[in-house]
Amino acid sequence: MYKFLLITGFVMVFTFVARAQGIDTSAARKADTVKKASNTAPGSFAPPIRKEKAYHPDSLHSPHKAVMHSLMIPGWGQIYNHQWWKVPIIYGGIGLLFSAVIFNQNYYNQFVTLSRYRQRGVAPTPGQPYYNEYILYQQNGVPDQNIYDSVDAYRRNRDLSIMGIAVAWGIQTIDAYIDAKFKHSFTVDNNLSMKVTPGMIGQPLYAQSANSSFIPSVKITFTF
């Protein structure tokens, strides 16, 4: 009987010790908690610690290639930089300048021919260039000096339009270089965030009232 009680007590003690030496999952749960909270600063109400923004410039993007493309064909550098929306603007501006060149050149040719008729004192015959215009100006009594001034004005406007084309060509080349340089050296992405916070700003001395020298405001911060 005593032997049976001794064995039973030994078994009970062994079972209790075995349970006490079981795996303590509280430590694992605590580790998980610490791991989940690792992105927060110390303190019970601390905000999450944000990761630093990673910059990934495109080192294979060549500013030289963008410049050469734009010098050869307007807008080609913008296409190389993946900025397709600039191409219609470039061709719209250059197209208007080309139309101005054609417009002024046509009237320049007309008034140059009329000025030569006036200088020679010879009226054109039907079928010759600008015969109808010569007769119209002659009937309305347009003086010779007006014809000569028109020649100078249309020639000047034509030359300015040609210079405008050259300037526009150069501007779009510079634009392609700058965009390609940023793509090559800096991150150019669409990660834009906006933060709106309320605040107070002080009024100027002449605008301060007796009630308060501060007025409510809203601060908008863009991060990109």
Side-chain angles (χ1 to χ4, degrees):
M1 182 66 180
Y2 291 102
K3 186 176 181 180
F4 176 79
L5 292 175
L6 181 62
I7 293 174
T8 303
F10 181 80
V11 171
M12 291 178 64
V13 171
F14 180 81
T15 304
F16 178 81
V17 172
R19 287 188 177 183
Q21 293 181 353
I23 298 176
D24 186 9
T25 58
S26 61
R29 287 196 298 270
K30 184 176 181 181
D32 291 342
T33 304
V34 173
K35 184 176 180 181
K36 291 179 181 178
S38 62
N39 64 338
T40 59
S44 58
F45 297 101
I49 299 176
R50 296 181 179 178
K51 282 185 166 184
E52 291 293 333
K53 185 176 180 181
Y55 292 90
H56 304 286
D58 186 0
S59 59
L60 299 179
H61 202 80
S62 173
H64 176 73
K65 186 179 292 186
V67 170
M68 297 307 297
H69 285 177
S70 292
L71 286 175
M72 289 186 287
I73 301 176
W76 193 6
Q78 281 70 23
I79 294 175
Y80 174 72
N81 292 333
H82 308 291
Q83 293 182 328
W84 299 80
W85 62 272
K86 292 184 178 180
V87 177
I89 299 175
I90 293 172
Y91 277 95
I94 294 178
L96 290 175
L97 292 170
F98 263 116
S99 65
V101 171
I102 296 173
F103 174 84
N104 288 285
Q105 181 64 35
N106 289 336
Y107 277 97
Y108 171 76
N109 294 336
Q110 174 182 324
F111 283 102
V112 163
T113 304
L114 295 176
S115 66
R116 290 172 181 172
Y117 290 148
R118 294 289 183 95
Q119 289 174 350
R120 296 172 185 173
V122 178
T125 59
Q128 287 185 317
Y130 305 109
Y131 168 79
N132 295 330
E133 288 79 3
Y134 179 88
I135 298 299
L136 179 64
Y137 292 141
Q138 195 74 17
Q139 291 175 351
N140 288 278
V142 177
D144 295 344
Q145 189 60 42
N146 288 6
I147 301 295
Y148 304 149
D149 292 342
S150 297
V151 172
D152 295 335
Y154 283 110
R155 179 175 58 239
R156 181 181 64 253
N157 294 338
R158 179 204 60 190
D159 295 343
L160 289 175
S161 299
I162 295 174
M163 291 177 58
I165 293 173
V167 170
W169 204 304
I171 290 175
Q172 63 91 28
T173 302
I174 296 173
D175 174 77
Y177 171 79
I178 292 175
D179 288 335
K181 187 67 175 178
F182 272 89
K183 286 180 178 294
H184 176 79
S185 304
F186 305 98
T187 295
V188 182
D189 51 28
N190 296 323
N191 294 330
L192 176 65
S193 62
M194 182 180 69
K195 182 180 180 181
V196 181
T197 55
M200 301 290 289
I201 60 175
Q203 300 187 48
L205 293 176
Y206 63 85
Q208 291 182 3
S209 62
N211 297 329
S212 175
S213 60
F214 296 93
I215 57 176
S217 64
V218 176
K219 180 180 179 182
I220 302 176
T221 304
F222 292 96
T223 304
F224 55 92

